[in-house]
Amino acid sequence: MNNTVITVALPRITADLGGGLAGQQWMINAYLVTLGSLILVAGSVSDAFGRGLVLRVGLVGFALASAAISLAPTVELMIAFRALQGAAGAFLVPSSLALITSTFHDAAQARAIGIWTATTSAASIVGPVLGGLLSDFLSWRWAFVANLLPIAIVLLLIGLLKLRDVPKGGRVDLLGALLCALGLGGLVTALIEGSNQGWNTPLVLGCLFGGGAMFFAFIARQRYGSSPIVPLELFRRRNFWSGNLATVFVYAALSLNGFALAIFLQQSVGLSATAAGLASLPMTIVMILGSFSIGSLSGRFGARVFMTVGPVMMAVGSLLFLTVSADFNYWQQVLPGVVVFGVGLTMTVSPLTSAVLGSVPSERAGTASAINNAVARLSSLVIVAALAVIVGGQIDLSGFHRAAVVTAALLAAGALASWVGIRAAVAPSSRSLTSVTVEPCTASDVPMPVGVARTDPKHA
């Protein structure tokens, strides 16, 4: 919910605090930099010290950062607090998915992941609408205060579930995490400020080469270090590396589409924040009606077809946005693309997650989930950082059309990566090893409502 809330609230935040397009990019990317870099170490911490503990720490930190954002008096402090929020959010998703993958296997695991995506879909529905309503009728600050109630409820539910963590121990590579964060931060700064200050300025060149060197050092440490955050041997598994490659393209496209649509509808068309939030609601409704069924079908027939056809349909939906003209009509020009995009997304998300996490042993579930989520965040980070280059400086009608074409191209690449790379799942070794037990849940206890999923299950 957090990212969908801030996307529709960005114009109001900018009007209040200033910062322009670069400030909007940084409000998104400050969160994504810390989230994308620290989510890797969070996966290792989750496996080493217990998923329940890590989940609680992340929730408390996220609540504190949300409260600080709601009080931010300047754009600089807003960006700083968003970075802290991303750091806390890094500890949430890997732990929750690891609990599922260490408890359920095979077809039951695919169904459970479908339910996981389903239960988080409520946030995707509530996020844009709530963010728009609060921004229009109260203040964008209340959109972040709204995080506190669901966090309190989740903390209560975790206590009632009585999770029994069995930490496997081990070291956590803090130096590797630092190298990753500095490397990504430098590269993203170069991408954002290059379009603003010029690519040959000392700041941009320093960030580009310094960030690249740091990130290269991070990769080298993962190859030769004794306790890697990213065990590179996981990428020898075909479904793991090909699923993550598809994730790069699909989630970059998803972020570009969501960001460009929300900003265009408000700043160029003149819709209110509430109306802009409601504009993408049909996409999530489509997912609610179909995602659980897709999760079950992919568990039976494999993920390859769904991961290929889904991105192709998303690309078609994106190209339908090219019908948007100066004579704006939501029902004829935007709604068809939103619905088709939603159908494709429904076919893609659960099978992709199942293919990646089903390819690794359960004791590596936290690490694998963290890697896949980091890949999704980093692809989102890079595409938002490159936004000014893609849209030509502003998201007017021509810029929105350029974003739609780039989105479609990214999705076509994701479909190709899935078709070429994904194969029928083979049970990985050590599948019986588990590091977390959840009581009293078993596969037969899992409720299976008809069709629930979310717009982007990888956003905290």
Side-chain angles (χ1 to χ4, degrees):
M1 184 175 78
N2 181 71
N3 279 341
T4 53
V5 164
I6 194 172
T7 299
V8 297
L10 278 175
R12 296 300 178 95
I13 298 173
T14 304
D16 189 8
L17 301 181
L21 179 60
Q24 291 176 338
Q25 288 175 283
W26 272 116
M27 289 177 207
I28 297 293
N29 279 343
Y31 178 88
L32 292 174
V33 166
T34 53
L35 183 72
S37 56
L38 295 179
I39 201 171
L40 294 171
V41 73
S44 298
V45 170
S46 173
D47 289 340
F49 299 107
R51 284 85 188 253
L53 173 63
V54 171
L55 196 59
R56 291 183 181 92
V57 170
L59 286 166
V60 172
F62 201 89
L64 293 175
S66 297
I69 291 171
S70 71
L71 300 173
T74 65
V75 66
E76 291 81 10
L77 281 175
M78 169 73 168
I79 292 169
F81 293 146
R82 282 282 289 167
L84 293 175
Q85 190 181 45
F91 291 89
L92 300 180
V93 175
S95 298
S96 62
L97 268 175
L99 288 171
I100 291 174
T101 56
S102 63
T103 305
F104 303 102
H105 307 305
D106 304 320
Q109 183 184 101
R111 290 193 297 271
I113 290 174
I115 293 171
W116 177 82
T117 25
T119 55
T120 55
S121 65
S124 295
I125 296 173
V126 172
V129 179
L130 180 63
L133 288 170
L134 292 174
S135 296
D136 283 340
F137 297 106
L138 290 175
S139 166
W140 60 265
R141 298 178 186 276
W142 283 97
F144 294 95
V145 175
N147 286 332
L148 303 182
L149 178 60
I151 288 174
I153 293 173
V154 172
L155 285 170
L156 177 62
L157 291 176
I158 290 175
L160 295 176
L161 281 175
K162 298 179 180 179
L163 302 180
R164 287 192 319 193
D165 287 334
V166 184
K168 71 175 186 179
R171 295 173 54 194
V172 176
D173 186 8
L174 297 179
L175 177 59
L178 180 62
L179 290 172
C180 184
L182 292 176
L184 290 173
L187 293 173
V188 170
T189 300
L191 281 172
I192 294 178
E193 297 301 327
S195 58
N196 297 325
Q197 300 187 23
W199 294 97
N200 59 349
T201 60
L203 171 65
V204 173
L205 290 175
C207 289
L208 183 63
F209 290 107
M214 290 286 187
F215 195 71
F216 180 80
F218 167 73
I219 298 297
R221 185 168 178 83
Q222 303 316 293
R223 173 65 177 86
Y224 299 107
S226 59
S227 302
I229 296 172
V230 180
L232 298 183
E233 66 268 17
L234 291 180
F235 288 92
R236 296 173 185 167
R237 300 175 182 272
R238 187 182 183 105
N239 279 8
F240 187 80
W241 68 257
S242 57
N244 277 292
L245 180 61
T247 297
V248 169
F249 296 117
V250 170
Y251 278 89
L254 188 59
S255 294
L256 177 58
N257 173 76
F259 190 98
L261 182 62
I263 299 300
F264 172 75
L265 290 177
Q266 293 180 75
Q267 293 187 343
S268 294
V269 176
L271 297 185
S272 67
T274 303
L278 289 170
S280 60
L281 184 60
M283 185 187 305
T284 307
I285 293 175
V286 168
M287 294 196 70
I288 291 175
L289 296 175
S291 283
F292 178 72
S293 297
I294 292 296
S296 298
L297 289 173
S298 70
R300 293 174 56 191
F301 301 111
R304 186 186 186 201
V305 172
F306 297 98
M307 289 174 60
T308 302
V309 176
V312 169
M313 293 196 67
M314 292 169 70
V316 172
S318 182
L319 291 176
L320 288 175
F321 292 138
L322 295 177
T323 62
V324 175
S325 66
D327 185 17
F328 180 79
N329 186 304
Y330 170 80
W331 302 104
Q332 296 177 8
Q333 299 171 0
V334 176
L335 181 61
V338 167
V339 172
V340 174
F341 198 98
V343 172
L345 189 60
T346 302
M347 298 180 67
T348 305
V349 172
S350 291
L352 191 158
T353 304
S354 297
V356 171
L357 298 187
S359 67
V360 302
S362 60
E363 70 269 16
R364 288 292 183 91
T367 299
S369 173
I371 292 172
N372 187 239
N373 278 276
V375 167
R377 299 316 195 286
L378 297 180
S379 63
S380 298
L381 184 154
V382 171
I383 204 70
V384 173
L387 183 68
V389 176
I390 294 171
V391 302
Q394 61 180 357
I395 308 179
D396 54 10
L397 181 59
S398 60
F400 180 65
H401 284 169
R402 282 192 290 270
V405 172
V406 173
T407 297
L410 289 167
L411 290 165
L416 181 62
S418 299
W419 181 254
V420 172
I422 296 295
R423 291 294 180 266
V426 177
S429 59
S430 302
R431 205 46 157 152
S432 62
L433 298 179
T434 59
S435 55
V436 177
T437 301
V438 182
E439 293 186 337
C441 185
T442 67
S444 61
D445 293 326
V446 179
M448 298 187 181
V450 178
V452 272
R454 61 169 290 187
T455 301
D456 182 3
K458 291 186 164 48
H459 284 270

